Amino acid sequence: MRVPFRLAIAVLVTAALLPVAGFAVDVKTLAAAVDSHYNHLRSLQAEFTELYRGSGMERTEAGTLWLKKPGKMRWEYRSPKDKLFVSDGKDAWFYVPDDRQARKTAAKKLEDVRSPLAFMLGKTKLEKELQGLSLASDVAPMKSGDIVLRGVPQALADRVSEILLEITPEHEITRIVIQEVDGAATEYRFGEIKENVAIADGRFQFKPPPGTETVEEGLGPP
């Protein structure tokens, strides 16, 4: 039996729309699974690559990241030069040895682009923190089988237009892309992830070396 052309087109269109409708439920389920995964973590260690594009320039840096509840993080940059961004949950420091200057701010006032890493500290709920959380079907994941979600962070909405999160089948976040309203983009890629490792609290404390100028103010991107 020959299928009428209009009916065939209608069937194809309906079939194409079904996965989209289904993803509305899948996104909620996936977000809840990611929340559950990170809410059960006490600490995390990973190698990271940071890529920045904006103002006519591109920059790639790499190092090691440590996270520990509640609210502790340490970004130890090794390439292309040493830098340190560390927070004990109360104070946050940004230190570049070559500059002989350390900037300090209260963690609760921190508006640094690294702030969205709170997702990996298990402190937030994705659907609550990211408005319009949805499947980013137009963005290719780094690894086959991963899913990319997008949303707008409420806390940084005046500065960040959207955030992309790449999620593995194990509900780990392996990539975060932060798109700023001025067109700049910062991307974090994570590898060699180790969960619930023993990390001493001293790793999240910082004391400026002798001869270092200390500036107490809000921290921007390095």
Side-chain angles (χ1 to χ4, degrees), residues 62-73:
T64 304
L65 167 67
W66 290 269
L67 300 175
K68 184 178 181 180
K69 293 180 180 177
K72 300 179 178 68
M73 65 173 67

Side-chain angles (χ1 to χ4, degrees), residues 43-214:
S43 64
L44 182 149
Q45 177 182 329
E47 296 302 300
F48 73 87
T49 299
E50 178 182 327
L51 303 96
Y52 173 82
R53 305 176 189 88
S55 302
M57 64 173 288
E58 293 188 6
R59 182 179 69 225
T60 300
E61 300 174 287
T64 304
L65 167 67
W66 290 269
L67 300 175
K68 184 178 181 180
K69 293 180 180 177
K72 300 179 178 68
M73 65 173 67
R74 180 185 181 93
W75 298 76
E76 202 168 279
Y77 292 78
R78 296 186 301 273
S79 174
K81 68 176 183 178
D82 291 346
K83 296 195 306 185
L84 178 65
F85 177 84
V86 60
S87 174
D88 60 5
K90 179 182 178 181
D91 296 317
W93 291 88
F94 178 65
Y95 172 61
V96 180
D98 289 349
D99 295 346
R100 301 186 65 82
Q101 183 185 86
R103 289 185 284 159
K104 177 184 178 183
T105 189
K108 64 181 180 180
K109 295 181 179 179
L110 188 64
E111 294 185 354
D112 190 270
V113 292
R114 280 162 286 230
S115 296
L117 264 293
F119 299 135
M120 300 177 73
L121 290 172
K123 292 175 57 179
T124 59
K125 291 186 177 180
L126 291 185
E127 280 205 295
K128 179 180 179 181
E129 297 298 325
L130 295 180
Q131 294 178 323
L133 189 65
S134 61
L135 178 74
S137 56
D138 58 326
V139 179
M142 291 190 303
K143 185 178 179 181
S144 177
D146 289 357
I147 293 176
V148 181
L149 300 179
R150 68 154 43 92
V152 180
Q154 296 188 52
L156 297 173
D158 60 334
R159 179 178 173 186
V160 177
S161 59
E162 72 171 15
I163 285 181
L164 300 175
L165 301 175
E166 181 163 339
I167 313 296
T168 70
E170 294 74 34
H171 308 126
E172 291 181 328
I173 298 173
T174 56
R175 179 170 60 139
I176 298 178
V177 182
I178 303 168
Q179 186 70 49
E180 300 191 50
V181 295
D182 63 1
T186 304
E187 177 175 341
Y188 297 99
R189 299 177 180 178
F190 305 100
E192 300 181 40
I193 298 173
K194 301 176 183 178
E195 299 179 342
N196 290 326
V197 293
I199 308 174
D201 285 344
R203 188 174 290 275
F204 305 98
Q205 298 172 356
F206 177 77
K207 183 178 181 180
T212 301
E213 178 190 9
T214 298

